[in-house]
């Protein structure tokens, strides 16, 4: 009811792409960008998905199956209805059975993907539900979106974070202490210092 399903064939496809940012050859950048756009699309469904309770969906499917069976039972007594009504009931049962098969298969697929998602995040299905994961992801999306808005409104505030990292090879070496190549003081003599404590005198 909330729109078409995500294009992903698995729960970890777009999320896994996020972990691969900046890794790989230049020829893979187009694929990475496509996966990141797909991730953005998938994240838009999290809020709605987090409100879906699998047990409620299962009860609705069971109720639909019972109503379909009831229509089939009524057709065993054609004398109760005229031919036009019986024909309509037969058509209704046929369409209901077809839709029930489609919905049951889709729900089973969703349950499988939900289990995969829990395993992807290292969660124990006996202790956590997929709704818990989706609620946590939704909180992340909201915080991330707020941070993005703050960044666009006040980029100078995040200027330090936006600076490109300096490669280790280009980092400046710390200045060497005055003295020989070993880093000892001029003249090669090492001076010893003692920290003064109450009742004692500092010696140099």
């Amino acid at each position: 009811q909330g729109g078409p399903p995500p294009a992903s064939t698995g729960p970890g496809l777009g999320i896994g792409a996020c972990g691969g940012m900046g890794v790989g050859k230049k020829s893979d950048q187009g694929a990475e960008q496509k996966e990141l756009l797909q991730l953005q699309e998938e994240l838009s469904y999290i809020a709605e998905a987090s409100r879906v309770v699998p047990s409620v969906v299962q009860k609705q499917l069971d109720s639909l199956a019972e109503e379909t069976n009831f229509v089939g039972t009524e057709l065993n007594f054609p004398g109760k209805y005229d031919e036009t009504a019986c024909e309509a009931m037969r058509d209704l049962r046929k369409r209901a059975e077809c839709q029930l098969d489609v919905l049951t298969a889709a729900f089973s697929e969703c349950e499988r993907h939900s289990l995969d998602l829990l395993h992807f995040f290292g969660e124990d299905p006996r202790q956590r539900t997929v709704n818990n994961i989706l609620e946590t992801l939704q909180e992340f999306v909201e915080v991330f979106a707020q941070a993005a808005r703050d960044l666009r409104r006040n980029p100078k505030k995040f200027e330090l974070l936006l600076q490109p990292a300096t490669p280790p090879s280009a980092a400046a070496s710390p200045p060497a202490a005055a003295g020989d190549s070993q880093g000892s003081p001029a003249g090669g003599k090492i001076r010893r210092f003692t920290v003064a404590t109450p009742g004692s005198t500092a010696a140099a």
Side-chain angles (χ1 to χ4, degrees):
Q1 294 180 354
S8 169
T9 56
L13 182 59
I15 297 173
C18 187
M21 291 176 61
V23 179
K25 300 179 181 179
K26 290 184 178 180
S27 59
D28 297 331
Q29 290 180 351
E32 289 180 358
Q33 183 178 10
K34 182 178 179 181
E35 289 181 339
L36 289 174
L37 291 174
Q38 182 173 307
L39 171 63
Q40 182 179 9
E41 180 185 1
E42 290 176 345
L43 292 178
S44 66
Y45 294 98
I46 289 179
E48 183 178 359
S50 65
R51 294 191 292 268
V52 176
V53 182
S55 59
V56 174
V57 176
Q58 185 61 62
K59 289 180 180 179
Q60 292 173 339
L61 291 175
D62 294 341
S63 177
L64 179 58
E66 291 176 0
E67 293 172 358
T68 302
N69 292 333
F70 175 77
V71 173
T73 301
E74 289 297 297
L75 285 173
N76 293 328
F77 306 96
K80 296 174 58 176
Y81 308 95
D82 59 34
E83 185 57 30
T84 303
C86 289
E87 185 62 29
M89 291 170 65
R90 281 191 288 267
D91 180 66
L92 176 62
R93 182 182 64 172
K94 182 179 179 180
R95 289 187 290 110
E97 288 176 343
C98 181
Q99 288 297 318
L100 182 60
D101 290 341
V102 172
L103 293 173
T104 300
F107 181 63
S108 298
E109 185 74 1
C110 287
E111 285 189 312
R112 186 177 67 81
H113 284 320
S114 298
L115 188 62
D116 290 343
L117 186 63
L118 287 171
H119 290 158
F120 178 83
F121 284 104
E123 297 290 349
D124 186 349
R126 295 170 297 182
Q127 299 179 1
R128 298 268 287 175
T129 66
V130 69
N131 295 81
N132 300 139
I133 298 296
L134 293 174
E135 289 171 359
T136 302
L137 285 175
Q138 178 60 22
E139 292 177 3
F140 163 77
V141 170
E142 293 173 354
V143 173
F144 184 84
Q146 180 61 46
R149 288 192 293 269
D150 292 343
L151 181 61
R152 287 193 295 267
R153 283 197 298 262
N154 190 10
K156 290 185 177 180
K157 180 180 178 181
F158 304 92
E159 194 173 38
L160 184 62
L161 296 176
L162 295 175
Q163 292 179 356
T166 304
S169 58
S173 302
D180 59 15
S181 59
Q182 299 290 332
S184 59
K189 296 181 180 180
I190 300 177
R191 300 184 64 190
R192 294 187 180 137
F193 297 89
T194 303
V195 179
T197 58
S200 65
T201 304

